[in-house]
Amino acid sequence: MILYKIASDLTNDLSTKYEHGTNIGFVPTMGALHNGHLALVAGSKARHHITVVSIFINPTQFNDPGDLARYPVTLEKDIEALEKAGCDILFLPSVAGIYPGGILELPQFPLGRLETVFDGPMRPGHFQGVCQVMDRLLAIVKPGILFLGQKDYQQCLVIKKLISWRGLPIAVDIIPTIREVSGLAMSSRNQRLTPEGKEKASALYRALLYLENQLKPGDLSIYTANACNMLESAGFSKIDYVAIANADTLEPVTNWDGKTKLIALAAAFLDGVRLIDNLLLA
Ligand code: AMP
């Protein structure tokens, strides 16, 4: 595995590879890698000649400075895991390398309605930050395929919107969520939970399964209310949302016509850690 810290070095190396017609699979991450990230790497390895992984904790997507300060860093372990997974290139940029003009006057992106639902209002500025970093990373790496995790479903739609707004020739492959045996979606933030906390946190997935099992045409609000109660009983302290939405647009759906493709989404705090999860329903 080759490690690059300087964006222009990586771009120059990759440009010789584009000339040879080699396709590039790109897996952007913030590190503290787990099997969810490695499933994205495996997806890329299965289909591409060259897999590029980036590890960059993007300050502009953290609406809570405490969350940024506490974000886990496990670089040595990450490098080992990527070597084992067969990653070809690791990109480890600095903040100044990604944002040479500083972070105060970065572009804003026209995300429309997508930014006004779920994590949009709950994490003001978060999706603009995601677009700011992805805009830079995609310009540096110029991948043929981008690998993203379904766990961050709204983020997938936001990045797809960025790609289409920029008119970039990049395909997006969304990899299903990798879970612990308990059902808890793997996440770097899980490292901040105790073993008991992790057990309790699996209620998030059970609440989504409950919504899947109850699903029938008509009013859905009683089911989302019950799912909230399940989370409260399990020890979640603050529930940002438990909702069902149109899987293509993320418009909330409270009365189902029996046909629209749906997704159940939840975000809630356990022991001060914000966890999110989702499940495609129909
Ligand atoms: P992060 O490092 O949290 O920014 O995540 C980097 C990429 O890994 C994103 O595309 C995430 O959606 C994806 N990812 C995170 N957790 C999982 C998981 N449990 N299963 C599959 N993909 C994941």
Side-chain angles (χ1 to χ4, degrees):
M1 183 170 75
I2 308 173
L3 194 157
Y4 286 101
K5 292 190 170 179
I6 308 294
S8 54
D9 291 347
L10 173 63
T11 305
N12 289 341
D13 179 9
L14 289 176
S15 67
T16 64
K17 297 185 164 81
Y18 306 127
E19 278 161 26
H20 293 105
T22 309
N23 214 345
I24 311 285
F26 181 38
V27 180
T29 82
M30 297 204 297
L33 301 183
H34 49 67
N35 285 341
H37 297 111
L38 297 179
L40 272 59
V41 175
S44 173
K45 288 290 296 173
R47 293 177 49 181
H48 291 275
H49 300 287
I50 293 190
T51 296
V52 181
V53 174
S54 64
I55 296 181
F56 178 65
I57 301 178
N58 174 35
T60 74
Q61 73 186 67
F62 284 82
N63 53 307
D64 170 4
D67 190 26
L68 172 60
R70 288 189 296 269
Y71 203 84
V73 178
T74 59
L75 190 56
E76 266 180 40
K77 269 174 67 186
D78 292 354
I79 291 175
E80 233 174 77
L82 289 174
E83 288 266 20
K84 250 197 208 154
C87 168
D88 299 294
I89 294 177
L90 171 60
F91 182 39
L92 268 182
S94 64
V95 174
I98 292 293
Y99 302 118
I103 61 170
L104 295 180
E105 284 181 33
L106 291 170
Q108 297 289 304
F109 297 84
L111 295 174
R113 277 285 293 160
L114 200 46
E115 206 182 7
T116 66
V117 292
F118 304 116
D119 275 353
M122 288 299 162
R123 303 189 65 190
H126 169 66
F127 289 124
Q128 289 299 326
V130 167
C131 287
Q132 286 154 357
V133 71
M134 286 308 299
D135 199 41
R136 282 287 291 140
L137 288 171
L138 294 178
I140 293 164
V141 178
K142 299 185 185 75
I145 299 203
L146 178 64
F147 291 86
L148 301 173
Q150 189 196 313
K151 186 186 145 261
D152 299 280
Y153 191 82
Q154 191 170 6
Q155 174 170 280
C156 293
L157 297 192
V158 162
I159 294 172
K160 277 185 170 179
K161 189 152 191 170
L162 166 71
I163 289 172
S164 101
W165 179 73
R166 279 279 186 221
L168 299 170
I170 300 174
V172 175
D173 199 338
I174 297 178
I175 302 290
T177 303
I178 304 296
R179 300 178 180 282
E180 306 283 356
V181 177
S182 67
L184 174 65
M186 290 192 181
S187 164
S188 307
R189 287 187 174 85
N190 294 352
Q191 294 190 17
R192 286 167 45 203
L193 293 171
T194 61
E196 302 81 66
K198 280 189 191 164
E199 232 10 84
K200 283 194 223 164
S202 61
L204 201 57
Y205 183 54
R206 284 198 298 281
L208 296 173
L209 287 177
Y210 163 80
L211 292 176
E212 183 181 48
N213 290 333
Q214 297 305 315
L215 187 68
K216 49 182 139 348
D219 186 11
L220 302 174
S221 46
I222 181 73
Y223 307 125
T224 46
N226 289 344
C228 274
N229 290 338
M230 287 171 72
L231 294 184
E232 270 161 2
S233 312
F236 279 83
S237 55
K238 177 173 176 280
I239 298 170
D240 277 354
Y241 55 81
V242 174
I244 294 177
N246 179 314
D248 297 321
T249 62
L250 280 192
E251 282 298 323
V253 173
T254 48
N255 204 306
W256 187 40
D257 58 11
K259 285 179 274 188
T260 306
K261 195 173 127 200
L262 297 177
I263 183 159
L265 306 125
F269 286 83
L270 186 86
D271 300 339
V273 183
R274 188 176 189 272
L275 302 172
I276 61 169
D277 200 352
N278 66 73
L279 199 61
L280 285 163
L281 299 182

